[in-house]
């Protein structure tokens, strides 16, 4: 497919936008009129710039409020169109997007509309231009693609066709399936945008909440299929209005844009293939092939978490890990890399001087520089990631060492793909000289494994992570939740594999004093704030941790009084929860969740311990305010902090 | 009136919230349950803390989902209530807010509801407690105050009454007037909150968009009057859920809260007085008097803008002013303060070493440290400001000098109140030794006056400025607009006096690279980014500025091509606009607006020049993207900036 993007989707000045689109290998662009009006050069200069960058200009947009209640106004609007045709001629583009009229005096009568559009099409034809008519979801009269099609059909002019935009159809919950029956050559242009479902009017929805396909909840693949089934083979072009994207760096955002289109093509292809397989005879293949990357590899869970440290920070972090019950397990065969373990959880401290980890440390301080996912086919996982535009990271490999493949995550950290554990042993441990005597059960105990990770990200980074997780890792974005820190709102997106073996939560806070914002700020943008470990018996684990002197986060008695008022909790369990600082949640079906927090390392990251009883599926969201307040309480008591309480 | 605030309205831990409420002179608080559950001490400790701070605990809230579909569940809920009565006993509070049930199995039948609430009231009575029943706007069955009243009336128990909340009634556009007919002693509690009108569901509206009275658009005064007319004389208490407030400093936010209540009382009093004057016999006065500050003083416009500088920065700024056509007019009689003028615009450079201005300069760099408003009665304006909790600023006054009174604005800068101009001469100029020969018409020309100021503020500061402008200065908050900078979204609130003699726009950007964010960041939070000057003939002014070599912001030709495509503009005017970089807007009625920008001073602040033709009322919002892009274009060409284009 030809792949395009509207300049309005990217931040900055026109030259930056075009350079970003070209660098992300887009074939063409839609020039958004305001971008041209802001450009301090001629339309011809824009044409030359695009040619130099290898970009075609596929569309000029938008032309608003064309149809008119009076002959004088119509004449004026036709003149206005001629001025835009002049400009398009200079730009070297043939197609103009005309969107349906949003004025109160918009023409309602299809016969009159058709007459007026016939005049416009005739003018366009004389100039060698094409008019693509789009139904805006908030048009005064024409809101649906079928209404716009009715006009195009009536006019029946070779220079008038349709512009289709997934948002306008899907946000109104209108049915796109009829699009498949249109004559493909009357679809002049297809714009694509996704969006989350938001309770607001469709104009606000469109102007502030659009996002790339895969980041939202609309059935963009279904819409796209309908257009392709009709025989459309022009560009698939992203047109996104989004407050975050307006401030996001254009280069990385353009890569996200391309990733979303590639992923979308795959979804369309799979959907079409599944249907074709059931049909006799099968429908003909599309003329233009769709993107076909290696499928997502199945993931079992997390192999290890790698921290970047230097020797001084490494000693402090090692002591902190020991206080949380971690056991030193051994050292890497050829590198200054130490392994710590507890239950099935593995932590790696990377002290290598001349390494990715050291650069990461110098930028971010002690922080997670890599995580490793386990699965049956690491090579396939990496092949997919590379196909979906994740740069592969190559490290030095010593003799007899495993080549653990890795790619860059959106924040520049690494994601390794390891072979699955066998006989309870992590494959990557083959690279380590293990202490034979280490008792790896530790305080967490047998069966402890990573339940989920929480990535604290800067503003604007939730969408890139969502797309990365979905497209590259094959995970599923689930709930959006709002959490209350005493010093501001935190928003989280929960992302999981279908079988929940891999879970992560991407979390952001716009205000500077929350736990999430402080973690992001201390780590200068990197990344993992919480490592949550599931254990089979949290009370037993907590008792072992307490005996060890681990720094458990205290929870006020008032909290447990409320647990008692709300739930029938067995008195022994309640007493243990009070003593140990365990939080409690219960789902309506009776599934239970127990949570315990260890105090953070320098407000950067911390461990959570959880016990899921009866298939509890959530993350204890209702307890978040109490945990966050307890952390703030702890923080305010640290030396050097203003004592707020 | 007794004035209260719910702890949920303020950020931080419970102790900080209570201290902030006490410092702002609240009489009492509502304790929000989560604040208590997070508190690492007993309810008795909270009681002691409140007593020490002179705060009564007027309410404990909320108790959710009381009514029950089964006898077993009802019994359980009554037990849960007993646990909360235990806690309230320890807290020393008598009233609990029970909000209407939001569960799908909530009881619908008023008879059954009344039976169940009768049991709760009986239990409360035995414990010396009172139940205040509140209709949540999104309750499953009970949504309106009239439905809650129906239950209270049926139960008819001395320990069951109503809790009324302005938001729940007004956000549903329900009529509050019937409240005036209720027996006042059955209204147990009144909560107040304002909100802007937002296109979303009422739950989202309530959870994220509530604000203090005067900051939103709901008829909170009308609601409050109804409760007071009914004979209610308990506390008026603010309950605000707002994402910004959750991150705002508790102390200043509590002062805003109190200011909003005082202003609201005044509105209620004036409304009641106006109605009483027309009635024969007049209704009896309220038992508890309402706040009665001096009325807002009429304002004519801006007298001067004062910049804080040191000698080095002063020289640079003076040269910049000269390049914009300003004329040196003289020096202050006793201070190191220089006066510059042009038309009717006056700029003061304060170079005093040991002064408020110098402290401001040290904190913020060269920036506006004060603005002066002109009006007929400066003393009255200051008296009102002080009554509404603005600290008065006292400066040193030399012999034979005017005492120009001033108060602190929300950002700590000063607002002076000056006498109106007489015979074209500013009253404050009496303090200056004026150069007799200065030609003060300058390039701006005769009749140039300040049209409006743009305050660029950090996130979270629009609401405080809105309230300050409305309550203290008597201005009217008008449109909220969204502007597109090439590097992110900017939001502005336009605020005006009724006669538009005084206009300002408070503007905020959440993302770091916009023109507004960069101004805020460079000035470390202070304040004025734009001084807009209205002139009678912008083309003539622009020609004079050009002749002077003033740094006019260039606007691309493409922009003017579009003006020509859109409007009939006289060719001579269009050519002048192209040459001079003048932007153009036209209202549907034909009123016209011409705008010109001078290049900024260090990305801190700049001048805009405007011409309003035919009563144009706006600010040229449609031109904002072009102006902001031109500024970004200019910036990217400065030495030391990455050349983006």
């Amino acid at each position: 497919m030809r792949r395009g993007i509207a300049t309005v989707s990217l931040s900055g000045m026109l030259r930056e936008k075009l350079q970003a689109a070209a660098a992300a290998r887009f074939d063409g662009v839609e020039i958004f009129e305001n971008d041209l009006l802001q450009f301090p050069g001629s339309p011809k200069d824009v044409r030359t710039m695009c040619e130099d960058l290898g970009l075609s200009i596929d569309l000029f947009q938008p032309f608003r409020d064309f149809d008119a209640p009076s002959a004088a106004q119509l004449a004026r609007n036709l003149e206005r169109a001629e001025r835009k045709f002049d400009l398009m001629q200079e730009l070297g583009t043939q197609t103009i997007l005309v969107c349906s009229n949003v004025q109160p005096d918009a023409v309602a009568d299809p016969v009159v509309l058709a007459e007026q559009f016939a005049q416009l099409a005739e003018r366009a034809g004389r100039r060698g231009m094409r008019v693509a008519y789009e139904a805006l979801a908030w048009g005064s009269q024409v809101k649906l693609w079928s209404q716009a099609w009715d006009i195009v059909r009536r006019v029946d002019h070779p220079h008038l066709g349709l512009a289709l935009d997934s948002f306008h159809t899907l946000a109104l919950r209108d049915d796109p399936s009829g699009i498949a029956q249109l004559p493909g050559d009357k679809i002049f242009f297809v714009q694509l945008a996704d969006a989350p479902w938001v309770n607001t009017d469709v104009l606000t929805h469109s102007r502030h909440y659009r996002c790339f396909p895969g980041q939202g909840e609309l059935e963009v693949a279904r819409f796209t299929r309908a257009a392709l089934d009709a025989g459309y083979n022009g560009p698939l072009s992203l047109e996104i209005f989004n407050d975050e994207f307006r401030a996001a760096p254009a280069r990385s955002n353009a890569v996200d844009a391309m990733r979303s289109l590639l992923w979308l093509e795959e979804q369309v292809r799979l959907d079409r293939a599944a249907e074709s397989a059931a049909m006799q005879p099968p429908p003909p293949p599309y003329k233009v092939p769709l993107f076909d990357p290696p499928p997502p590899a199945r993931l079992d869970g997390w192999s290890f978490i790698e921290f970047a440290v230097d020797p001084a920070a490494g000693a402090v972090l090692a002591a902190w890990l020991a206080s949380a019950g971690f056991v030193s397990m051994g050292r890497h065969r050829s590198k200054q890399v130490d392994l710590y373990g507890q239950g099935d959880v593995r932590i790696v401290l990377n002290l290598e001087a001349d390494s990715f980890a050291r650069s990461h440390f110098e930028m971010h301080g002690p922080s997670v520089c890599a995580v490793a996912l386990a699965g049956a086919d690491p090579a396939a996982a990496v092949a997919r990631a590379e196909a979906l535009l994740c740069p592969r990271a190559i490290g030095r490999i010593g003799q007899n060492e495993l080549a653990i493949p890795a790619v860059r995550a959106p924040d520049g950290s690494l994601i390794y793909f390891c072979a699955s554990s066998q006989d309870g042993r992590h494959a990557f441990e083959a690279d380590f000289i293990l202490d034979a005597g280490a008792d790896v059960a530790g305080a967490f105990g047998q069966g402890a494994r990573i339940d989920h990770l929480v990535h604290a990200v800067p503003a604007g980074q939730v969408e890139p992570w969502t797309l990365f997780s979905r497209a590259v890792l094959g995970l599923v974005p689930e709930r959006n939740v709002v959490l209350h820190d005493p010093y501001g709102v935190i928003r989280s997106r929960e992302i999981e594999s279908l079988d929940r073996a891999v879970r992560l939560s991407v979390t952001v806070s716009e205000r500077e004093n929350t736990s999430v914002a402080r973690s992001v700020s201390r780590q200068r943008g990197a990344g993992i704030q919480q490592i949550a470990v599931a254990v089979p018996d949290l009370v037993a684990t907590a008792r072992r941790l307490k005996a060890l002197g681990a720094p458990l986060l205290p929870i006020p008695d008032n909290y447990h009084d409320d647990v008692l008022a709300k739930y029938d909790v067995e008195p022994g369990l309640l007493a243990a929860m009070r003593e140990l600082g365990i939080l409690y949640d219960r789902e309506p079906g009776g599934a239970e969740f127990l949570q315990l927090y260890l105090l953070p390392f320098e407000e950067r990251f911390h461990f959570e311990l959880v016990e899921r009883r009866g298939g509890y599926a959530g993350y204890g969201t209702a307890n978040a305010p109490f945990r966050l307040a307890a952390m703030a309480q702890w923080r305010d008591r640290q030396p050097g902090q203003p004592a707020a309480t």
Side-chain angles (χ1 to χ4, degrees), chain A:
Chain A
M1 292 302 299
R2 286 184 57 76
R3 301 175 187 121
I5 188 164
T7 54
V8 72
S9 315
L10 299 171
S11 73
M13 306 297 288
L14 184 57
R15 187 184 297 268
E16 288 174 273
K17 295 173 184 230
L18 295 174
Q19 287 171 339
R25 310 248 182 128
F26 278 93
D27 301 300
V29 292
E30 307 171 35
I31 299 279
F32 179 62
E33 182 170 49
N34 274 9
D35 282 316
L36 180 75
L37 303 190
Q38 292 167 10
F39 181 71
S42 68
K44 180 71 175 52
D45 294 339
V46 175
R47 175 187 196 152
T48 306
M49 193 157 60
C50 287
E51 283 169 0
D52 291 348
L53 290 166
L55 292 169
S56 62
I57 301 179
D58 297 326
L59 190 77
F60 178 74
Q61 59 112 351
F63 190 86
R64 298 182 202 276
D65 303 334
F66 164 69
D67 55 80
S70 70
Q73 184 60 45
L74 180 65
R76 173 105 205 109
N77 292 352
L78 286 165
E79 267 314 299
R80 179 158 59 96
E82 293 285 358
R83 296 293 73 74
K84 299 304 168 186
F85 295 150
D86 295 344
L87 183 164
M88 289 165 62
Q89 203 158 343
E90 237 194 292
L91 268 181
T93 188
Q94 277 72 49
T95 312
I96 187 168
L97 183 143
V98 175
C99 49
S100 60
N101 196 324
V102 301
Q103 300 303 324
D105 59 4
V107 174
D109 183 345
V111 175
V112 178
L113 263 179
E115 277 169 20
Q116 298 192 354
F117 270 93
Q119 294 187 52
L120 182 64
E122 192 55 31
R123 300 261 198 147
R126 272 183 236 149
R127 304 288 299 264
M129 302 290 169
R130 306 197 310 164
V131 171
Y133 183 40
E134 175 183 61
L136 289 185
W138 54 93
S140 308
Q141 300 293 340
V142 173
K143 301 173 200 291
L144 307 176
W145 67 265
S146 50
Q147 293 175 283
W149 167 241
D150 178 49
I151 305 306
V152 169
R153 191 185 51 75
R154 285 170 189 265
V155 175
D156 190 21
H157 190 288
H159 290 265
L160 179 68
L162 279 183
L164 297 174
D165 180 319
S166 60
F167 180 87
H168 292 299
T169 296
L170 300 173
L172 290 179
R173 302 180 195 269
D174 185 26
D175 183 1
S177 57
I179 290 170
Q181 274 71 59
L182 298 179
D185 60 356
K186 295 304 278 184
I187 303 176
F188 282 4
F189 207 78
V190 171
Q191 294 175 319
L192 298 175
D194 200 348
W197 286 114
V198 176
N199 284 329
T200 190
D201 59 284
V202 70
L203 177 57
T204 303
H205 197 187
S206 175
R207 287 212 177 143
H208 300 286
Y209 296 97
R210 287 183 177 221
C211 55
F212 294 135
Q215 293 177 335
E217 301 173 276
L218 304 186
E219 292 185 291
V220 185
R222 186 167 163 239
F223 178 91
T224 309
R225 253 210 77 186
L228 298 181
D229 285 355
Y232 174 74
N233 58 17
L236 295 178
S237 187
L238 296 164
E239 189 201 25
I240 316 292
F241 309 95
N242 178 297
D243 288 352
E244 293 295 352
F245 292 8
R246 288 185 190 276
R251 293 272 175 152
S252 60
N253 209 33
V255 172
D256 267 16
M258 180 55 83
R259 179 177 290 148
S260 82
L261 266 187
L262 297 176
W263 174 81
L264 180 73
E265 287 184 28
E266 179 192 35
Q267 305 309 304
V268 173
R269 190 179 48 70
L270 292 172
D271 187 45
R272 167 98 169 173
E275 202 176 289
S276 302
M279 288 165 77
Q280 210 42 262
Y286 293 142
K287 279 182 212 141
V288 186
L290 295 172
F291 184 65
D292 188 5
R298 185 191 152 86
L299 301 170
D300 300 337
W302 306 93
S303 278
F304 63 87
I305 311 291
E306 179 175 335
F307 284 86
V309 285
D310 67 0
V316 180
L317 187 55
W320 184 75
L321 289 173
S323 79
F326 277 89
V327 175
S328 170
M329 291 181 64
R331 170 155 279 214
H332 194 275
R333 288 183 188 283
S334 66
K335 293 178 190 157
Q336 297 257 40
V337 173
D338 293 331
L339 177 63
Y340 295 82
Q342 191 171 194
D344 199 39
V345 181
R346 296 293 175 271
I347 303 283
V348 158
L349 300 198
N350 191 332
L351 297 115
E352 279 278 285
D354 178 22
S355 68
F356 161 74
R358 185 58 61 89
S359 315
H360 194 276
F361 173 79
E362 278 158 11
M363 175 67 192
H364 301 289
S367 54
V368 173
C369 62
V371 298
L373 283 159
D377 193 347
V382 168
R384 178 175 178 85
E386 284 196 275
L388 284 154
L389 311 179
C390 297
R392 180 161 182 165
I394 314 281
R396 286 164 304 158
I397 300 163
Q399 260 190 322
N400 303 320
E401 285 172 23
L402 303 173
I404 306 181
V407 297
R408 297 267 177 180
D411 62 357
S413 67
L414 298 186
I415 300 202
Y416 287 99
F417 294 96
C418 294
S420 303
S421 312
Q422 287 214 320
D423 307 328
R425 183 117 186 235
H426 290 281
F428 80 90
E429 291 176 6
D431 282 349
F432 285 78
I433 300 164
L434 298 180
D435 298 344
D439 170 16
V440 187
F444 289 0
Q446 290 289 352
R449 65 183 293 279
I450 292 176
D451 184 86
H452 65 275
L453 300 177
V454 176
H455 276 263
V457 302
Q461 286 301 300
V462 175
E463 286 76 15
W465 272 99
T466 302
L467 180 65
F468 172 83
S469 306
R470 186 176 211 166
V472 176
L473 303 180
L475 305 179
V476 184
E478 302 281 356
R479 293 166 294 266
N480 280 300
V481 294
V482 174
L483 311 175
H484 291 149
D485 185 280
Y487 297 99
V489 168
I490 293 169
R491 291 171 198 276
S492 277
R493 184 78 196 252
E494 299 166 0
I495 300 174
E496 303 174 343
S497 60
L498 276 176
D499 63 359
R500 292 190 176 136
V502 174
R503 308 187 196 221
L504 62 92
S505 170
V506 180
T507 179
V508 70
S509 172
E510 303 265 331
R511 294 297 169 259
E512 62 188 12
N513 223 14
T514 63
S515 141
V516 164
R518 291 170 71 102
S519 166
V520 168
S521 144
R522 293 217 161 198
Q523 307 196 61
R524 300 188 60 177
I528 299 242
Q529 193 203 7
Q530 180 177 294
I531 301 168
V533 174
V535 297
D537 180 345
L538 183 57
V539 171
T541 292
R543 286 206 195 287
R544 288 193 295 268
L545 283 167
K546 192 179 179 191
L548 194 76
L552 308 184
L553 180 72
I555 299 295
D557 264 352
N558 298 322
Y559 169 83
H560 292 104
D561 290 346
D562 185 57
V563 169
L564 183 64
K566 274 193 195 142
Y567 304 109
D568 278 320
V569 179
E570 188 263 310
L573 175 59
L574 190 76
M577 293 199 298
R578 266 190 212 278
E579 176 201 343
L580 299 161
I582 293 176
L583 299 156
Y584 181 85
D585 190 30
R586 192 189 290 177
E587 286 177 345
E592 294 175 297
F593 193 53
L594 279 67
Q595 299 171 272
L596 173 82
Y597 287 84
L598 301 188
L599 293 178
F601 180 84
E602 296 177 1
E603 288 190 67
R604 289 169 169 267
F605 41 77
H606 58 260
F607 285 102
E608 179 188 5
L609 290 152
V610 306
E611 180 186 339
R612 296 179 181 274
R613 294 180 171 181
Y616 181 95
Y619 297 78
T621 304
N623 288 323
F626 309 110
R627 183 265 290 189
L628 291 163
M631 290 218 174
Q633 183 78 25
W634 163 79
R635 178 182 99 196
D636 290 342
R637 288 192 174 156
Q638 297 307 295
Q641 296 292 342
T645 60

